[in-house]
Every structure is written in structure tokens, then in C-alpha cells.
Amino acid sequence: MPLPAIRVPAFMHAAMPTLDSARERLRALREEITFHAHRYYVLDAPQISDGEYDRLFRELLDLETRFPELVTADSPSQRVGGAPLPQFATGEHRFPMLSLENAFDEQDLHAFEERLRRYLKADRPLAYMAEPKLDGLAVELIYEGGLLTRGLTRGDGRLGEEITANLKTIASIPLRLRQPAAGPVPELLEVRGEAYLAIQGFRKLNETRREEGETLFANPRNAAAGSLRQLDSQITASRPLDFFAYGVSEPEALPCASQYQLLKYLGDLGFKINPLAKPCADMTAVINHFQVLAEHRHDLAYEIDGMVVKVDDLALQQRLGNKARSPRWAIAAKFPAIQATTRLTDILFSIGRTGAVTPVAVLAPVCVGGVTVSRATLHNEDEILRKGLLIGDTVLIQRAGDVIPEVVKPVVEQRTGNERPIHMPAHCPECGHDLVRAEGEAATRCPNPHCPAQRHRALCHFTGKAGLDIEGLGTKAMEQLLREGLVRDLPDLYRLDPATLAALDGWGEKSAENAIAAIAASREAPLAKFLAALGIRFIGEVTANLLAQRFGSLASLMAAALAAGDDDPLTAIEGVGEQAAASLRHYFGDPSVQEMLGRLADLGVRPLPAAAPADANSPLSGKVFLFTGSLANLSRNEAKERLKTLGGQVASSMSRKVTHLVCGVKPGSKLDKAQALGITVLDEEQFTRLLNQG
Ligand code: IVH
């Protein structure tokens, strides 16, 4: 249930409520929304549909837009992110946020227990809490009078960065504490826990970044850290971050006797508590739970890198106290790294659909964490040089996260002198064309647009999940059609007939008919999907959407790409950069592409515009607006919506594409930049007039 997009409020036509009735309604709405958000984001047990929730949320936003003076710090509307900050302030933790000592095997855990017993002079077994060690970012949330007032990163343990606005965007973090069963809401509470990004959210984020040509995050942890350290909290709000609470700075001040009760108490206050945290009567139970977690870690939706073992009794924790950097009462039991050594026997070079040549390590098959690995990507030439790999090397490999195997490094001590250097080929292994590596690029490419390997990959992409997702034409089936010579290019697809398909190995009449029907349906695929399916370099889902919205048809996009002149209609679109534009010009300028698209059109392939294309006659068509400072009479979101309906575009940062800066109260540095760039600056009155004229 993501936060809904904010629309133009419907209130423009409704009667204006009084301040008192609005206050009352807002109070009720906040309570209701907070209740349902907790059911959904924390308990994973929604009671109403997403649609009903969205309606409540929209009503809240409508009312708050009309009565900005009634917006409260704990209103769910405050989760959407605010104005970007120039930098983060530093804040001191009242109690340092410590780190943990590590245990790498059972022996280390027994030694930990020994130390505890010696320290406590205890001879009876100790009870523990065993909690998954989340691989995210430790943060502290400060609640005063029940209200979330500040949020800090761990930083160096003593000083952290204030990332309050960013943390407020995480839907599972309560903005106001719930009333606990035991006693009143504490006056001051510093909650500690882990902010993280689930694996799926991480993959999706990287997918989008790949399309946009941005650098990829190495793992979910880095992605979470990068998202939380955004100066623009609206960017943070767009990332699916989550939070598990696991402790507080001063447990002795709470009505809890054990870590187990503390977690339960934090749950009562409205926090998400990890369901795999387990009370253990002794160290044997701890070790059992460790094995369970190690076995199931890859089934979880988020990454964990071990288990934290804590003495359960809070009075004992206090007696044990802290060492310089870590508490005596807890230890992190780390999972063994999923690594192995094997031999690098050869290198293959595979050609991607955009011609990039990827070196792939051929490995003597080896079992890593239960999976046999015999190939690992080496990405590009620089990566091979950086790692200093030679053919014949014994190499250390590991499975990063749960999936992709990677070569970590050569085991240099085991070299015999018979190893051979790795050279990038000079010619395409598939078509023989000279390979090129452009200045400043990491990739070596085959520039031949007719290279059969590229065409194969491009065709598989077109019918596959990232393309038009044509039922029955997954990678396997496509490879068969290519092998059989039935499909050599895209138009061939639309000439297939059921009888030919049904006669192929593994096909029957029914599956052939279904596939043909799916192909037929794809003739009228949405334009954005079709564009992304073509596999044009730098044109992923996001850019394809922008292009489809702006141009509405393949023909007008093509015309725009081929139009010469100083005012490039492609880069004029906010979100379309020079690289993407150059790639489109290159693609549509190729006579063989033009011919192929012509044949597709003859075969009835007519991608449909998803939405009405922006009308070139719209009053604000071609104008790009940027906002700074707050507007007195309408919300930024409403202003943006109204601009869009008039054909204007809204930018998120200053660039040469911006044509108008709308300047509210307390403008930021954008105003200076706009003046320096000679961009038209509108005050609120001028801006409102412009909207009304439209
Ligand atoms: S308790 C006094 N519990 O592990 C130490 N830490 O080195 C209190 N972590 O980055 C830490 N899951 O954020 C604790 N269930 C859990 C944890 C956990 C992950 C992280 C923590 C910190 C590191 C400790």
C-alpha cells in the first residue's frame, strides 16, 4: 500500500468547512489512517482495501491543503518528504551507540558464555534472546512526549547525522507512539533499530538506475544507506525502506525486565519487531536457532548477515555493562561467508543485446552455499585488470547476497608460473567485426548492428519479461525459433503461423495457438512498453514512458529523433538526457531500422499511446517549471498538478531545461542560480495569474 499520488483536491467544488469542523475531521482521519497504516506496514494484516485507504489519505491531504495551519508533525501527510536540505546537521547520541563483538563459530559462543558467567559469578545457565542481525543501517529515533522529533544515523557511535525528515518517510516508523498496555507513553524514548531495504526493492531500484545510466548499488545495505543519506527526502520517500526496532538507549527506565519484554513493549508502542527473534533458555537453544537462521536466511525478504545474541535479563545486562566499543552482554554470531576456491580454466566473451562484450570466467564446477557454480561474470576489461586475474589461476569465489557468483581475487600463492594473461578479443567472436572501446567507457562493444548475437539477445528481450512479455515466447522458446531459422528479425515474429509452431519439438496445437494469439495481441502493445522492448540503448522503462507520453506515436517520436536543429525536442523532455537522445537518433537514423519498422507497420504492428499525448497547443506546452520556497495559497503538489494539466512540465532540480522558477516565501539557492542563468522568475501572484489564464 504505497502512499498515494497526490491529486488536485476535489474540494474546489465543495462547500468550505469551518475551522473547527475541519480540525475535528482531521483528527479523526489521522487516527484512522495511522491505525490502518500500522495494520498494513507493521502487522502485515490490513483491514481495509488499498482503495479505501487511498480515499482516506486523499481526504486528509485535501483538508490539510485548505487548512495548512492544521497540519501536525505526526500527520501521515508528513511522510511524503519535504524541501531538500543543503546538508545534514550533526547530533550527539545521549548514550553512545556501540558496536558488537563477533563470534565466528560455536566455540566463540561458548567462550562468550564462559566470560559472562565468570563476570557474573553465575553457575546456572543464562537465558538469551537470539535475533536476526539485519544488514542495514543502525539508526536512533527520539520521541519526546510520544512524538517523533528527531532521528539520527549511528555515525561514529557518539555523533550521528540528523536525518529526521528521511526517517519520517518510512511507513513502519510511528510518527507518534501508541499507548502501551503497560503504563503511560514514556516522556522521552530513544529507540534503536535497523533501517533496511528489502531485496526486491533493492533489485527494482538498481534496475531503474541501470536504465537511467546511473551507478548501481553494490548491495541492499549500500542502497539503504544511500537512500537515507539523501538531502532530498522526496527521493528517500520513493525508496521502499523499512525498519525493525531492537532496543532502546535506557531500558532500565521502562516497565520491562527482559529483552523479550522490551521487544514486546516496542511492538505495543507501534514498532515492527522481527518475528524471528527468539527467546532461548540456554546456549544450546541459541546455537539451534543460529542453524535455523543460517539455513533459512535466503528465504527471507531482506538480508541478514548473522544473529545477535543478547543476555535476556535486563538487570544482568546492566550489571555486565559495556567495554570501550561494545557491550559485554551481547555478541554477533556471523554466518560463514559463502566462499570457495576453484580454478579459472578459461574466459568466454558474451555479446549482449546492445553489443557490450562481457568476459565470463569459466570455472571448474564447485559447490558454494549449496549451489554448483561454473560461470561467473567479470563485467569488463578493467575489472579483470583490477583483480589481476590470469587464466589457470586458483580463484576465491563467493556468492554475493543469495544469487550472483563473483570472483573475489586470485590466490596468488598458488600460482605455478603456467598461468596466462587474459586479453580482450580484437574481433567479435560472433560476427568477426572489429570491437571498439569508446573513450571513457568501461565496455568493449561490437558496433555491428547486424551482429547475429546481438540480434538474438534483442529478440529474446523483445518477447521476454522486460519487453512485451509475450506468453509462450520466453528465452527457451525464442532460442528454439532462432535455431530453427523461423525468426531472424522482429517482423518474422508477426508472420509465424500456428501450424509451423505446433510442429516444433515440445509444442502442441494448444500452446501454438496461445502463442500466436499472444503475438497478435502484442500488435497493439502500449507504446511505452514497445519502446522499452526494442532494447534501444539507454531507453529503459522510465525513459520510454516519458517519450510515449510526449510523442504519442512511434512515427512522431521518429520524426522528432530525426529532426535536425538547435532545439532538440528529445532533450527538452525533463528526464531525457543527451546520452538517451543520441542513442535514439542513432537508432532511428539507421536505414535498416527504418526498413524493419516499416515492415512491422505493414504487418499491423501499431503500438498504442498509453495516455493522450501532450498537446503542442496546450498553453504551457514546452515550459518547464521549478519551485523554490513555499506558496501561500496552494500546495506545491496542487500547483504541480495544475501545471501538468496545462501541458507544463515540472523539474526537480535546476538545469538549463528549466524555463520558469516559481518563487514562494523563503526561496532557496535556486533563486540565485535562476537569476544567474537568466531564467524567468515568477512570484506567487504572477504564477497564479498564469495558471488562471491557462
Ligand atoms: S543490538 C550495543 N540487535 O549490528 C549494540 N544490533 O555492531 C546494540 N544489528 O550496526 C546492537 N540487527 O545496527 C542489535 N537485532 C539486532 C541487530 C543489530 C542488526 C546491527 C546494528 C549495528 C551492528 C552492531
Side-chain angles (χ1 to χ4, degrees):
M1 188 158 59
L3 295 183
I6 300 156
R7 305 249 172 83
V8 185
F11 69 79
M12 321 226 24
H13 314 289
M16 189 80 171
T18 63
L19 190 65
D20 280 343
S21 67
R23 184 180 289 118
E24 188 43 40
R25 179 65 188 145
L26 277 172
R27 201 197 48 71
L29 277 170
R30 275 179 205 131
E31 194 173 305
E32 204 173 344
I33 293 170
T34 304
F35 172 82
H36 289 297
H38 178 254
R39 300 282 321 176
Y40 184 92
Y41 291 107
V42 177
L43 304 180
D44 200 10
Q47 279 183 350
I48 58 172
S49 72
D50 289 7
E52 282 169 89
Y53 181 83
D54 287 355
R55 262 195 299 286
L56 291 173
F57 209 100
R58 226 168 284 133
E59 187 186 344
L60 174 85
L61 294 175
D62 285 358
L63 260 184
E64 287 189 350
T65 313
R66 297 157 90 186
F67 297 97
E69 66 274 32
L70 297 182
V71 177
T72 56
D74 65 340
S75 170
S77 65
Q78 299 309 294
R79 295 197 189 275
V80 292
L85 296 174
Q87 65 179 57
F88 295 120
T90 316
E92 191 169 358
H93 300 289
R94 272 197 327 130
F95 295 89
M97 288 182 78
L98 301 176
S99 67
L100 292 171
E101 250 180 65
N102 290 323
F104 294 101
D105 51 30
E106 272 185 39
Q107 227 177 350
D108 288 350
L109 283 175
H110 288 303
F112 168 65
E113 167 143 280
E114 258 324 289
R115 285 199 299 275
L116 295 174
R117 287 205 191 168
R118 248 193 333 250
Y119 195 95
L120 295 169
K121 290 195 183 324
D123 40 17
R124 56 196 167 79
L126 293 166
Y128 301 93
M129 271 305 279
E131 306 171 9
K133 184 167 184 299
L134 286 134
D135 204 6
L137 210 74
V139 298
E140 177 168 77
L141 305 169
I142 302 169
Y143 290 84
E144 291 168 288
L147 200 65
L148 174 59
T149 52
R150 285 166 68 216
L152 302 172
T153 61
R154 172 168 180 266
D156 63 6
R158 193 177 71 81
L159 295 176
E161 284 176 314
E162 304 238 9
I163 51 165
T164 317
N166 291 350
L167 288 167
K168 280 186 172 181
T169 70
I170 302 179
S172 49
I173 291 182
L175 299 178
R176 179 181 285 282
L177 299 175
R178 301 167 73 83
Q179 176 72 43
V185 169
E187 203 33 57
L188 172 67
L189 185 70
E190 291 158 335
V191 175
R192 288 158 179 198
E194 202 82 351
Y196 67 95
L197 199 63
I199 295 166
Q200 250 210 316
F202 159 71
R203 293 214 174 115
K204 230 173 149 177
L205 176 59
N206 258 356
E207 196 47 50
T208 314
R209 291 174 74 85
R210 190 195 311 277
E211 283 170 4
E212 310 274 298
E214 291 176 74
T215 48
L216 303 187
F217 288 116
N219 51 48
R221 204 198 103 78
N222 288 1
S227 302
L228 276 174
R229 296 198 66 263
Q230 283 290 339
L231 289 166
D232 184 347
S233 52
Q234 299 195 359
I235 298 181
T236 313
S238 73
R239 312 258 169 101
L241 289 159
D242 212 332
F243 178 81
F244 278 122
Y246 55 62
V248 296
S249 64
E250 260 183 311
E252 50 283 5
L254 301 176
C256 305
S258 64
Q259 171 70 11
Y260 175 79
Q261 287 176 7
L262 175 63
L263 290 183
K264 164 117 195 16
Y265 181 75
L266 286 170
D268 287 350
L269 293 176
F271 291 94
K272 203 162 135 170
I273 303 305
N274 194 292
L276 296 169
K278 192 175 166 67
C280 296
D282 55 24
M283 194 47 88
T284 312
V286 167
I287 290 166
N288 284 341
H289 193 52
F290 180 75
Q291 269 140 13
V292 171
L293 288 182
E295 203 171 302
H296 292 292
R297 62 183 288 208
H298 296 309
D299 305 333
L300 300 180
Y302 45 83
E303 288 200 339
I304 61 174
D305 61 348
M307 185 179 87
V308 182
V309 185
K310 302 175 182 175
V311 169
D312 190 40
D313 186 325
L314 293 179
L316 291 185
Q317 280 190 11
Q318 199 165 19
R319 271 179 62 197
L320 285 158
N322 303 325
K323 293 187 285 183
R325 266 186 292 275
S326 54
R328 263 186 213 94
W329 45 265
I331 197 162
K334 302 290 280 245
F335 292 135
I338 358 174
Q339 290 186 328
T341 55
T342 186
R343 247 168 69 86
L344 172 65
T345 57
D346 200 1
I347 301 280
L348 292 176
F349 295 93
S350 104
I351 312 289
R353 78 185 146 80
T354 57
V357 182
T358 305
V360 179
V362 181
L363 304 164
V366 61
C367 181
V368 195
V371 172
T372 303
V373 173
S374 57
R375 296 274 190 279
T377 172
L378 294 173
H379 303 288
N380 54 49
E381 188 175 13
D382 292 349
E383 186 82 358
I384 296 175
L385 292 175
R386 196 173 59 74
K387 290 184 171 160
L389 294 169
L390 301 175
I391 293 176
D393 263 339
T394 298
V395 289
L396 181 67
I397 62 167
Q398 74 179 11
R399 281 173 59 217
D402 58 339
V403 268
I404 317 137
E406 67 170 341
V407 177
V408 182
K409 58 171 191 183
V411 185
V412 179
E413 305 79 54
Q414 294 199 15
R415 282 196 175 145
T416 61
N418 293 329
E419 295 77 14
R420 292 178 288 122
I422 300 168
H423 295 295
M424 289 301 278
H427 305 287
C428 175
E430 304 273 350
C431 72
H433 200 290
D434 285 356
L435 296 180
V436 291
R437 181 173 167 186
E439 179 92 22
E441 271 198 33
T444 305
R445 287 178 193 280
C446 169
N448 173 15
H450 308 289
C451 171
Q454 286 181 51
R455 240 191 10 237
H456 278 203
R457 295 275 142 72
L459 282 164
C460 291
H461 173 78
F462 186 83
T463 59
K465 287 245 181 302
L468 294 188
D469 198 7
I470 300 179
E471 199 196 319
L473 295 188
T475 312
K476 275 231 171 77
M478 278 306 282
E479 276 170 2
Q480 183 184 28
L481 297 181
L482 293 161
R483 219 173 31 243
E484 300 281 340
L486 289 170
V487 174
R488 273 168 315 248
D489 61 8
L490 280 185
D492 285 347
L493 263 184
Y494 292 93
R495 284 198 211 95
L496 286 171
D497 62 274
T500 316
L501 272 190
L504 292 176
D505 245 13
W507 290 78
E509 255 171 47
K510 189 80 201 129
S511 56
E513 262 169 36
N514 288 345
I516 297 292
I519 294 172
S522 78
R523 284 190 163 90
E524 299 199 332
L527 179 59
K529 276 194 103 179
F530 182 83
L531 283 174
L534 286 176
I536 307 165
R537 220 178 144 206
F538 301 120
I539 311 299
E541 205 182 315
V542 177
T543 315
N545 259 314
L546 295 173
L547 294 168
Q549 264 172 28
R550 170 70 183 80
F551 295 107
S553 76
L554 201 55
S556 32
L557 167 60
M558 188 147 146
L562 299 179
D566 292 340
D567 291 331
D568 182 352
L570 300 175
T571 47
I573 303 170
E574 168 72 20
V576 177
E578 193 43 58
Q579 266 186 332
S583 170
L584 287 165
R585 282 193 293 269
H586 176 78
Y587 183 81
F588 288 112
D590 184 334
S592 66
V593 166
Q594 295 173 5
E595 187 264 345
M596 189 268 297
L597 292 176
R599 279 191 289 139
L600 278 182
D602 293 344
L603 288 159
V605 178
R606 275 188 187 61
L608 296 174
D615 182 353
N617 299 323
S618 301
L620 298 182
S621 160
K623 309 266 189 299
V624 180
F625 293 79
L626 181 68
F627 290 86
T628 183
S630 51
L631 300 173
N633 294 314
L634 76 175
S635 75
R636 235 188 230 194
N637 285 317
E638 183 186 352
K640 287 180 180 176
E641 283 302 324
R642 290 189 54 188
L643 274 178
K644 283 189 196 162
T645 50
L646 295 172
Q649 294 173 57
V650 179
S652 55
S653 62
M654 183 57 82
S655 75
R656 61 182 176 77
K657 290 175 195 169
V658 173
T659 57
H660 292 74
L661 182 78
V662 181
C663 198
V665 196
K666 291 199 197 154
S669 63
K670 289 177 193 163
L671 179 57
D672 302 334
K673 283 192 208 153
Q675 280 162 345
L677 289 169
I679 289 168
T680 312
V681 177
L682 301 176
D683 63 20
E684 180 163 351
E685 199 192 316
Q686 293 166 317
F687 175 63
T688 319
R689 230 179 296 139
L690 185 76
L691 288 181
N692 293 340
Q693 274 165 13

